[in-house]
Amino acid sequence: MSYQSLIAENSTHIAANNGTWDSISAESVARMQLQNRFQTGLDIARYTAKIMREDMAAYDADPAQYTQSLGCWHGFIAQQKMISIKKHFGTTKKRYLYLSGWMIAALRSEFGPLPDQSMHEKTSVPALIGELYTFLRQADSRELNLLFKDLDDARAANDAAKEAQALAKIENHETHVVPIIADIDAGFGNAEATYLLAKKMIEAGACALQIENQVSDEKQCGHQDGKVTVPHEDFLQKIRACRYAFLELGVPEGIIVARTDSLGAGLTKQIAVSKEAGDLGDLYNSFLDCEEIDPSTAQNGDVILNRNGKLLKPKRLPSNLFQFRSGTGEDRCVLDCITSLQNGADLIWIETEKPHIEQIAGMVDRIREVVPNAKLAYNNSPSFNWTLNFRQQVFDAWAAEGKDVSAYDRANLMSASYDETELGAQADMWIQNFQRDSAKRAGIFHHLITLPTYHTAALSTDNLAKDYFGEMGMLGYVAGVQRKEIRQGIACVKHQNMSGSDIGDEHKEYFAGEAALKAGGKDNTMNQFSNAA
């Protein structure tokens, strides 16, 4: 509802109580209602799912309309990210949040730092979703509070033009609440466990769940070795579990992102059940590394497959895992993606070992032969050495063209000595255009970086520690942090305001009138930043 209609509605409620509510301000209530637009996580999930569906349709019409996100490990990081996006671009459209299981394991587990192997608490995932949205809603409340102050100042000055301006900004306020693509890992158990966790994540506000086809109790980070996949039917059970959770909670537009790790996963824990030749189980098993055997040579405990009248023994490792044939990863990826999309997934995610557009596009072309509108979410991972990868890609492209590359050492292209070279500049241009070019060529609807704020926190803290504890002393903080905050218009330079102090003052005045004891008076040192942010 609009600001003015909320005021009118509240005035009616107040008047209906025979004078006992006359000390309540209808306009103050309207302000509080606007500042609490999303009252539950399900309200957020329904709202953001609709946004994602609209964005997916826009991308289908024009691949230049791709979306982006950064992984956030704390609500404050997410809040400052969205405040910055609104400041720099004027809108949050097509910018999401990504919730990384890796960062929860490394930063948010009660066990302390953990590897990305689904060892962190299940409850920490929905808890972080709730935290992220708490901070985004607080960003809304703070921004609206500043607009309400502008409105009050305009009225006090009898400035009708500024009052109309302030009212228009209030009525057209854009929320900081955006979609979250949330990592449910491999489901933390069987399909029932996946369903139960999915419900908690959706109730916390998640409109998009990303689930992978690894064995849940053997799950590894997508950029580590030792990944073990599950048969298609096992994975499809978990996709269905997520869809049931969305439908049960009244979020029919919820998004499921099906991730395949098959490109780098050479192992399986199970041989799939196959009822007839050519079914999904048979296709999965066809990739196993097997040797044909004579029945008379079979030994106790051997697992034997019958394929086309031949008896095959899959290679079984001491770990009791079975091995896929080398070189089958791409074929398995393509089948994984097609199967997932045909059984309820909305987006696919192919975890690759390097950011190479043609490698991704080659698989997507094959997938789109079967599912024409297939779209990807792609991990622009910090696990890739982007500089080295793209310099080597340029080197290889030049060499294929017959261009002289004798001035460059391919194995040592990370060296800073190449930063100002033609090759270095070309590689940087390819990196700069990677998202735009791959959205167009390789079907990537959503580009995300899983761990950026993990790395930025470490980098900025290193710089501050080096300067503050060194010769610069307090100037290390002032020149390296505060002065830059002021000049770049960083909202949290006024940290009391950012934490909600001014909102609290407004509430005190609502509740106590002239008797309110406010924190934001003339002696508040935050007034020194009156012209900042």
Side-chain angles (χ1 to χ4, degrees), residues 340-354:
S340 297
L341 292 169
Q342 289 177 330
N343 287 272
D346 303 288
L347 296 171
I348 50 179
W349 170 318
I350 300 174
E351 197 76 309
T352 65
E353 81 287 358
K354 61 182 178 293

Side-chain angles (χ1 to χ4, degrees), residues 201-487:
M201 293 170 70
I202 298 162
E203 287 170 343
C207 73
L209 304 178
Q210 170 226 323
I211 187 164
E212 61 205 59
N213 69 334
Q214 291 192 45
V215 177
S216 59
D217 60 350
E218 298 282 355
K219 180 258 189 310
Q220 296 277 12
C221 171
H223 293 281
Q224 291 183 318
D225 204 356
K227 294 182 289 295
V228 183
T229 63
V230 297
H232 294 90
E233 290 294 352
D234 293 45
F235 188 51
L236 298 181
Q237 290 175 26
K238 294 186 177 183
I239 289 177
R240 285 193 288 270
C242 291
R243 182 62 65 203
Y244 270 105
F246 274 124
L247 292 171
E248 177 184 343
L249 295 173
V251 190
E253 294 181 301
I255 312 295
I256 298 172
V257 184
R259 169 178 144 183
T260 174
D261 283 283
S262 289
L263 199 61
L267 303 170
T268 182
K269 199 170 189 177
Q270 298 165 259
I271 292 176
V273 174
S274 173
K275 295 180 179 178
E276 59 184 46
D279 65 13
L280 267 182
D282 187 46
L283 289 173
Y284 188 78
N285 294 339
S286 72
F287 295 115
L288 291 170
D289 192 355
C290 300
E291 60 177 330
E292 187 176 351
I293 65 166
D294 184 321
S296 64
T297 64
Q299 299 179 5
N300 187 55
D302 278 353
V303 173
I304 299 173
L305 296 177
N306 181 350
R307 179 174 300 132
N308 299 323
K310 296 179 180 179
L311 295 184
L312 305 174
K313 183 172 78 172
K315 287 189 179 177
R316 196 180 202 175
L317 306 180
S319 59
N320 203 31
L321 299 172
F322 296 96
Q323 184 172 294
F324 289 114
R325 295 195 316 279
S326 177
T328 62
E330 183 170 313
D331 289 339
R332 286 184 281 123
C333 262
V334 170
L335 182 60
D336 293 342
C337 292
I338 291 170
T339 302
S340 297
L341 292 169
Q342 289 177 330
N343 287 272
D346 303 288
L347 296 171
I348 50 179
W349 170 318
I350 300 174
E351 197 76 309
T352 65
E353 81 287 358
K354 61 182 178 293
H356 192 290
I357 292 176
E358 284 307 314
Q359 179 198 30
I360 304 163
M363 289 183 279
V364 172
D365 288 346
R366 294 174 61 190
I367 295 163
R368 285 184 162 179
E369 288 175 6
V370 182
V371 186
N373 68 337
K375 293 178 284 296
L376 274 73
Y378 185 72
N379 179 7
N380 292 227
S381 178
S383 293
F384 303 142
N385 185 331
W386 285 77
T387 301
L388 180 60
N389 264 292
F390 275 86
R391 287 180 180 180
Q392 289 181 339
Q393 287 181 42
V394 172
F395 180 97
D396 294 342
W398 285 1
E401 293 168 6
K403 188 168 181 175
D404 182 9
V405 291
S406 59
Y408 303 100
D409 177 3
R410 190 183 187 281
N412 194 38
L413 287 174
M414 185 65 203
S415 171
S417 63
Y418 295 122
D419 287 358
E420 304 303 321
T421 64
E422 183 186 1
L423 184 145
Q426 181 70 58
D428 282 353
M429 183 179 296
W430 284 16
I431 294 170
Q432 182 178 351
N433 293 329
F434 174 78
Q435 294 190 345
R436 184 182 306 111
D437 292 344
S438 60
K440 182 178 181 180
R441 171 68 185 94
I444 299 177
F445 158 74
H446 185 75
H447 281 280
L448 61 100
I449 309 179
T450 44
L451 320 176
T453 54
Y454 176 90
H455 292 282
T456 54
L459 179 63
S460 60
T461 301
D462 181 78
N463 289 332
L464 177 59
K466 176 185 67 176
D467 293 339
Y468 176 74
F469 292 104
E471 290 299 314
M472 290 184 71
M474 190 57 195
L475 183 60
Y477 173 76
V478 172
V481 181
Q482 190 181 76
R483 194 177 294 163
K484 290 181 179 179
E485 282 184 306
I486 294 170
R487 291 175 177 172

Side-chain angles (χ1 to χ4, degrees), residues 28-38 137-138 140-146 148 503 506-507 510:
S28 297
V29 175
R31 291 180 177 188
M32 296 172 83
Q33 289 170 329
L34 283 183
Q35 288 172 307
N36 188 27
R37 173 181 173 183
F38 301 100
R137 291 165 64 210
Q138 194 261 1
D140 280 357
S141 185
R142 170 191 170 272
E143 189 171 68
L144 282 163
N145 194 64
L146 295 173
F148 297 148
I503 295 170
E506 294 298 322
H507 290 173
Y510 297 165

